[in-house]
Amino acid sequence: MPSSVIRRFSYDEPQRRLRVTFTSGDVYEYDGVPPEVNDAFRAAFSKGQFFGPNIRDRYPYRRVEKALRPH
């Protein structure tokens, strides 16, 4: 799953929660994501291109981990 934007993701189907780790190291959770959207995301050739119009800003989200930045 090489992507220049998304490092990895996981899906909790009972909670309908998608957890996305970006290459920056920030981790976000998106609530209410239907299983079919997760399946399409998993199958997408370009995770970043799919994520933008189909997930980002379409579902409630929160940052759960902030990347550690060197001082």
Side-chain angles (χ1 to χ4, degrees):
M1 188 207 83
S3 172
S4 61
V5 178
I6 296 169
R7 183 176 299 154
R8 66 180 161 270
F9 65 95
S10 61
Y11 184 65
D12 180 342
E13 189 165 352
Q15 297 295 319
R16 294 169 65 114
R17 181 173 297 135
L18 181 68
R19 182 179 179 101
V20 180
T21 303
F22 293 91
T23 56
S24 68
D26 289 343
V27 180
Y28 285 79
E29 288 183 345
Y30 295 81
D31 292 321
V33 178
E36 57 272 15
V37 172
N38 175 65
D39 292 344
F41 185 40
R42 188 168 302 284
F45 178 76
S46 171
K47 305 300 187 244
Q49 286 184 355
F50 182 90
F51 178 82
N54 296 288
I55 298 170
R56 181 180 55 218
D57 299 330
R58 294 193 81 171
Y59 299 97
Y61 66 91
R62 67 193 160 284
R63 183 168 59 191
V64 294
E65 290 181 36
K66 184 173 175 151
L68 298 174
R69 309 268 190 242
H71 297 296

